[in-house]
Amino acid sequence: MTATDQARAQGHANGHATVRVDSWIWAVRLTRTRSQAATACRAGHVRVNGERVKPAQHVKPGDEVRLFHAGRERIVEVRQPLAKRVGAPVAAGAYTDRTPAPPPREHVALAGVRDRGAGRPTKRERREMDQLRGARRA
């Protein structure tokens, strides 16, 4: 990779250390495609420093990017602007992840299994309850 390619990959085109937010989100692997990143921006799921942004908004080091994608919110701080997609280790170094840890999963019983006596009574149990109540069959 030449020096020009490296500068372009890092977003230093024309001496500016900024890059489009949709390209940066894609380059650091927060979304799978750039079009997904652009769609998230247009839908209002991306905020830079607390403000909703369009896909062409530029980000620079120190900006906070909040992305709601795949059912969770990611909060990251831009450390290095990247315009081209890079490998996962390099991408991980381009931002500081400030996303809070997800809440612990609760152990949920399987839907098909129920304890005896829990839930809706069986037909046999309903008959026994009717007998106890003294209900007569016609």
Side-chain angles (χ1 to χ4, degrees):
M1 186 182 271
T2 65
T4 319
D5 290 337
Q6 287 177 343
R8 212 177 279 134
Q10 293 177 357
H12 293 287
N14 300 328
H16 298 287
T18 63
V19 67
R20 286 174 55 120
V21 68
D22 61 340
S23 291
W24 185 81
I25 289 171
W26 166 73
V28 296
R29 299 172 173 263
L30 295 178
T31 60
R32 292 185 134 197
T33 65
R34 197 179 72 72
S35 70
Q36 279 182 343
T39 301
C41 291
R42 284 192 294 274
H45 298 302
V46 178
R47 294 177 179 267
V48 175
N49 298 325
E51 306 226 356
R52 287 184 177 180
V53 295
K54 294 182 179 178
Q57 174 74 36
H58 286 269
V59 293
K60 60 188 181 308
D63 284 346
E64 179 191 72
V65 177
R66 290 176 176 254
L67 168 70
F68 187 79
H69 179 69
R72 63 182 276 210
E73 184 178 37
R74 299 285 307 266
I75 303 169
V76 296
E77 181 183 338
V78 179
R79 288 174 53 190
Q80 179 183 7
L82 298 173
K84 291 188 176 181
R85 195 162 174 100
V86 293
V90 177
Y95 63 87
T96 305
D97 196 354
R98 300 196 189 287
T99 305
R105 286 184 164 181
E106 295 180 18
H107 296 287
V108 180
L110 297 175
V113 179
R114 74 172 184 93
D115 293 333
R116 181 118 175 111
R120 185 174 175 182
T122 63
K123 188 171 185 176
R124 180 180 186 181
E125 292 168 340
R126 285 196 306 269
R127 285 183 185 150
E128 290 171 357
M129 287 188 292
D130 286 345
Q131 282 180 350
L132 288 173
R133 290 185 195 137
R136 295 186 182 164
R137 296 183 69 133

